[in-house]
Amino acid sequence: MPHSINKELILGIMVGTTGISLLLLWYHKVRKPRTAMNLPKFLSLGNTFHSMTLQDEVRNGQGTAAIFQGRQIQILEKLNELLTNMEELKEEIRVLKEAIPKLEEYIQGELGGKITVHKISPQHRARKKRLATVQSSGTSNSSEEAESEGGYITANTDTEEQSFPVPKAFNAHIEELNLDVLLQKADSLRMDESSKMDSFELLCDHKEKFRDEIEFIWRFARAYGDMYELSTNTQEKKHYANIGKTLGEKAITRAPMNGHCHLWYAVLCGYVSEFEGLQNKINYGHRFKEHLDKAIQFLPEEPFLYYLKGRYCYTVSKLSWIEKKMAATLFGKIPSSTVEEALQNFLKVEELHPGFSKSNYVFLAKCYIDLEQIDDAVKFCDLAVLLPCVTKEDRDAQKEVKKISTSLKR
């Protein structure tokens, strides 16, 4: 293992340890002296921001409301800062967890003379298998050249962090297709969950030829979203999400009246938000809703759009008061929705496409449970069980259905 990697591992451990130490120090100095803090005591912390007392503020008459509002904002800012710090600490712990296994492998290699073994994701393994097939068809390229032909920069290593795809051809021999045939073939491949990677590779093969065609661009963005879903590695997922969002931005700029462009840009904004802090998550949430509404305007008969809007409404309806307050402080607008609004969107999906997905039935059941309409909840649980499990989302929904059904029987 190179000396620079040793430094990175040691630095990761030091940073993680420092973060945990600071958290423990905060606990002993602040939390331990007062193990319980009631709400009035918490609100009184606003006195640290101003030297004047509440009695002095009351004497100011009309200024009281403004001062109190200012204190609310300051408290929210402090809470936001605390949440941000906690997220940073969580990330440091994650890095530390990733560093420890590598350190163990390095120590084993140093003591026993063993070569470090790197885990390879299923996606990378499948790509290498595909490349090996291409190579055996008559080419005499080295394995490193095959990796380059496949569209990956590996730097002579198989680690996941360095195996990201770049816009280059996957196949040594590309079948020349016109745009209509290419798009039809890509759409057809994507219908099967096991062929989504083939659809992505097909589009990569023709990127240079059709890179300025709107129908190609939004499908390419969608394909990066598919790869995000298929990937099991965090860094790969982040990579796919960011490139897909960039393609989505290009699509909506060039074709602002195309509903598919707005749809997949909204979806990819949602994917990117998974790797952002609180403020950016809220920002991307606004973008998601904005472009989802535009997509519905241009594609009013597309059931997937109403499913996404139902998910958004349901999530927002579950936000706590403090989360809504923080959104209002950061952006001047409180996101609002209700379970009833979410329900109407999920019912619209069923109206446009009966049996659209197992997940849609699960959320219909959840909405009816929240509205205390148990018979309807049981009905949609039963319908969900009847649908086959094809995708990962279906398998996750199946687990959720079992939990809901069990809770309803109690």
Side-chain angles (χ1 to χ4, degrees), residues 47-100:
N47 292 333
T48 61
F49 300 120
H50 299 283
S51 60
M52 64 182 65
T53 64
L54 185 60
Q55 292 179 349
D56 294 330
E57 292 168 4
V58 172
R59 296 192 190 100
N60 290 335
Q62 295 180 349
T64 303
I67 293 172
F68 183 72
Q69 184 178 10
R71 285 188 173 182
Q72 281 186 317
I73 293 173
Q74 289 171 330
I75 292 172
L76 288 172
E77 288 174 349
K78 289 293 182 182
L79 287 172
N80 182 43
E81 182 181 350
L82 177 60
L83 287 172
T84 301
N85 290 337
M86 292 300 293
E87 287 184 2
E88 291 175 355
L89 178 59
K90 181 179 177 181
E91 177 63 18
E92 289 175 1
I93 293 173
R94 185 191 67 78
V95 171
L96 182 60
K97 286 181 178 179
E98 291 181 357
I100 289 174

Side-chain angles (χ1 to χ4, degrees), residues 128-148:
K128 291 190 70 181
K129 182 178 180 182
R130 180 184 177 95
L131 291 169
T133 303
V134 172
Q135 185 179 4
S136 64
S137 65
T139 63
S140 59
N141 297 343
S142 68
S143 60
E144 292 171 11
E145 290 171 337
E147 287 288 298
S148 177

Side-chain angles (χ1 to χ4, degrees), residues 188-393:
S188 178
L189 285 170
R190 189 177 178 273
M191 296 295 290
D192 188 343
E193 184 77 6
S194 63
S195 299
K196 284 185 176 181
M197 186 181 295
D198 293 330
S199 178
F200 171 72
E201 292 177 358
L202 178 66
L203 294 172
C204 285
D205 289 341
H206 293 80
K207 175 186 180 297
E208 295 303 323
K209 184 177 180 180
F210 300 115
R211 64 188 308 158
D212 294 323
E213 299 288 343
I214 289 300
E215 291 299 310
F216 178 88
I217 296 172
W218 71 255
R219 281 177 172 84
F220 203 21
R222 179 185 68 182
Y224 270 99
D226 291 339
M227 293 303 292
Y228 169 92
E229 290 288 351
L230 291 172
S231 178
T232 56
N233 176 268
T234 302
Q235 292 302 317
E236 279 188 359
K237 291 175 84 73
K238 185 176 182 180
H239 173 82
Y240 290 131
N242 281 317
I243 292 182
K245 182 181 75 71
T246 300
L247 286 168
E249 288 173 345
K250 180 180 178 181
I252 61 174
T253 300
R254 295 194 178 190
M257 306 292 285
N258 188 310
H260 292 101
C261 297
H262 288 285
L263 161 59
W264 293 106
Y265 177 65
V267 170
L268 285 151
C269 281
Y271 290 158
V272 170
S273 71
E274 294 297 317
F275 306 100
E276 299 292 334
L278 177 64
Q279 184 169 344
N280 283 339
K281 279 184 186 292
I282 297 173
N283 187 17
Y284 277 117
H286 281 289
R287 285 197 217 177
F288 176 87
K289 179 62 163 54
E290 175 189 353
H291 289 279
L292 193 61
D293 287 342
K294 288 182 179 180
I296 290 175
Q297 178 185 346
F298 298 125
L299 300 170
E301 301 301 313
E302 173 55 59
F304 183 49
L305 289 169
Y306 296 98
Y307 170 71
L308 291 176
K309 188 170 182 180
R311 291 285 299 268
Y312 173 85
C313 293
Y314 189 82
T315 300
V316 171
S317 72
K318 298 296 181 180
L319 289 178
S320 65
W321 174 86
I322 191 63
E323 288 171 325
K324 291 181 179 180
K325 266 294 189 184
M326 293 180 73
T329 302
L330 293 170
F331 295 99
K333 184 180 179 181
I334 300 177
S336 62
S337 190
T338 62
V339 174
E340 288 83 0
E341 187 177 355
L343 176 63
Q344 291 308 310
N345 280 284
F346 293 130
L347 289 173
K348 181 69 174 178
V349 175
E350 184 66 7
E351 175 190 330
L352 293 172
H353 190 310
F356 175 74
S357 72
K358 193 181 287 281
S359 294
N360 193 62
Y361 282 148
V362 168
F363 277 97
L364 278 166
K366 287 183 176 182
C367 288
Y368 280 120
I369 290 172
D370 291 341
L371 297 173
E372 299 182 354
Q373 299 179 30
I374 305 303
D375 290 342
D376 287 321
V378 172
K379 168 189 170 183
F380 283 108
C381 279
D382 292 341
L383 288 172
V385 171
L386 296 176
L387 292 180
C389 287
V390 178
T391 66
K392 180 180 180 298
E393 185 180 29

